[in-house]
Amino acid sequence: MRRVGLTVVLLPAALAAAAQGVDAARQQQLIRMVRQDCGACHGMRLTGGLGPALTRDALADGPLDAMAATVVHGRPGTPMPPWRALLSDADVRWIVEQLARGFPDEPPRAAR
């Protein structure tokens, strides 16, 4: 328990410092990941499904640090998994900031 408490205390500062480290190519990967992977439970438009809506309106009163902690640690006892093994601190911060603003649509795929 003590380790989780320390992580929650240190996480906000680490995430805030890291948010600038997400380049345009990684942003596109994260948009796709959120739309596809998160969308599997939260709805393809992030308007809710098995998991709650992740729209700007639904998240309006939620602190970014709490959202980041949910992404990193998941929610035990629910289908929400921890994503810490797949996402950097910068990735997590970028995602929660985008969710708070209204998550961008996935760009159209180029014709092959």
Side-chain angles (χ1 to χ4, degrees):
M1 282 274 184
R2 196 161 219 222
R3 183 175 173 199
V4 171
L6 182 59
T7 301
V8 171
V9 170
L10 297 177
L11 183 65
L15 291 174
Q20 281 94 28
V22 180
D23 65 27
R26 182 62 176 156
Q27 289 176 15
Q28 294 307 309
Q29 293 170 344
L30 293 173
I31 290 169
R32 180 161 179 72
M33 186 203 81
V34 169
R35 290 284 177 194
Q36 298 298 314
D37 295 328
C38 302
C41 289
H42 294 280
M44 296 307 286
R45 304 289 306 151
L46 305 177
T47 55
L50 174 64
L54 298 178
T55 61
R56 180 178 52 202
D57 291 340
L59 300 173
D61 296 327
L64 294 181
D65 295 337
M67 287 190 281
T70 297
V71 173
V72 170
H73 301 293
R75 288 213 168 161
T78 74
M80 177 65 190
W83 289 90
R84 70 177 160 253
L86 300 172
L87 297 171
S88 70
D89 289 344
D91 292 342
V92 172
R93 189 61 184 197
W94 187 86
I95 289 169
V96 299
E97 287 175 353
Q98 297 307 307
L99 288 169
R101 289 185 191 125
F103 205 76
D105 286 328
E106 199 171 343
R109 288 188 160 191
R112 292 183 183 198

